[in-house]
């Protein structure tokens, strides 16, 4: 799958090179998010310890990650479950309660490995950073691109996934590169790095609260193009097979982006524990396998 640029068995060198590339991604993310007070919180919990009840070997001390995280017994992850295949609500049940997707499976695995309870707090993407700073959540796992601007307010783990912005348009479009969007009706999702990319191009755009709303606007013929992350774009195109949507890449304009988990600045205990987990899951292929699995899985 071309747009799925997975970090497969990544070496430290690869990650270092990737991190440098990500700094150039459209000049960084949008500015500080709006207040988190008006969000609708939707919390679902899983008890990793209960799930592990049959295991005789204690989780603590069994891995480096568990050792680092000896004191961590609960992690409240903030996400925005509107970003398939990374996070979405599954009517048939997901990795954590109703929440499913690559990130949710990663969060569940982290909880299982650390012997920590994991809860998901589903809030607007634009409110995640402030919710973290407020202490409402312990970490953000939301397909969130590591950007210099976000790094000013939160700390990020080692990257676990490579993505890029792409354009989705209707078959027959004359858009072949980002510059061709000039004068078109451009749709983005509020607070996503895609919004920053279009802003940096100097083009007018309409920003939607949710990805599906932008896609619907495209399908209805109001928008000509949607700028969004690659794997999510692929998912929307697959899910709307009858609508003849196409993905257009412009790797010169849209640089490599890397997703990381964010923690509150200075929360090194949690950051170290998450880094050990992420490094392990990238190196042993867990993340790549989840990405493959959820790219094809039905919601
Ligand atoms: N990767 C994009 C960003 O960080 C979109 C993430 C998302 O919508 N969950 O802005």
């Amino acid at each position: 799958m071309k747009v799925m640029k997975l970090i497969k068995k990544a070496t430290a060198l690869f990650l270092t090179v990737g991190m440098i590339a990500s700094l150039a991604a459209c000049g960084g993310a949008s500015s500080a998010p709006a207040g988190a007070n008006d969000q609708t919180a939707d919390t679902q919990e899983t008890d990793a310890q209960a799930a592990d009840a049959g295991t005789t070997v204690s989780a603590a001390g069994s891995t480096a990650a568990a050792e680092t995280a000896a004191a961590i017994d609960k992690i409240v992850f903030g996400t925005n479950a509107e970003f398939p295949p990374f996070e979405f609500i599954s009517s048939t049940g997901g990795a954590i309660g109703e929440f499913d997707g690559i990130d949710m499976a990663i969060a569940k695995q982290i909880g299982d490995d650390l012997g920590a309870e994991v809860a998901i707090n589903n809030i607007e993407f634009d409110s995640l950073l402030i919710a973290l700073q407020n202490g409402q959540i312990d970490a953000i796992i939301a397909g969130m691109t590591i950007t210099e601007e976000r790094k000013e307010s939160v700390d990020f783990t080692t990257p676990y996934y490579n993505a890029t912005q792409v354009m989705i348009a209707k078959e027959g479009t004359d858009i072949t590169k980002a510059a061709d969007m000039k004068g078109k009706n451009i749709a983005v999702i509020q607070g996503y790095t895609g919004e920053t990319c279009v802003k940096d191009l100097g083009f007018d755009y309409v920003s939607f609260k949710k990805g599906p709303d932008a896609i619907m606007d495209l399908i209805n013929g109001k928008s000509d193009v949607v700028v969004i992350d690659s794997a999510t774009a692929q998912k929307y195109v697959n899910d709307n097979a009858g609508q003849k949507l196409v993905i257009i890449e412009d790797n010169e304009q849209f640089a490599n982006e890397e997703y990381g988990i964010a923690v509150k600045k200075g929360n090194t205990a949690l950051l170290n524990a998450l880094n050990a987990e992420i490094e392990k899951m990238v190196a042993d292929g867990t993340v790549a396998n989840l990405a493959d699995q959820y790219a094809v899985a039905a919601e």
Side-chain angles (χ1 to χ4, degrees), residues 230-245:
S230 43
T232 304
Q234 190 63 58
K235 187 85 176 101
Y236 285 140
V237 169
N238 293 351
D239 289 351
N240 293 283
Q243 301 295 338
K244 301 197 159 120
L245 302 179

Side-chain angles (χ1 to χ4, degrees), residues 1 10 23-24 34 49 58 61 92 95 98 105 108 117 122 133 147 170 177 204 234 237 253 263 265-266 293:
M1 195 162 302
L23 304 183
Q49 272 151 343
S58 106
T92 53
E98 62 183 329
K108 164 136 182 37
E117 187 188 335
N122 184 24
Q133 285 166 309
T147 68
K170 283 198 169 160
K177 56 185 184 306
D204 291 338
Q234 190 63 58
V237 169
Q253 185 60 40
V263 301
K265 251 196 180 314
Q293 181 190 324

Side-chain angles (χ1 to χ4, degrees), residues 162-180:
N162 274 8
T164 186
Q165 296 301 309
V166 297
M167 296 162 278
I168 312 177
K170 283 198 169 160
E171 213 173 87
T173 178
D174 56 3
I175 298 172
T176 60
K177 56 185 184 306
D180 297 336

Side-chain angles (χ1 to χ4, degrees), residues 78-80 83 86-87 103 125 128 140-145 160 260:
T79 198
N80 178 249
F83 195 63
F86 292 89
E87 39 269 330
D103 285 341
F125 188 80
L128 285 168
I140 300 169
I141 186 159
M144 182 172 271
T145 302
Y160 62 90

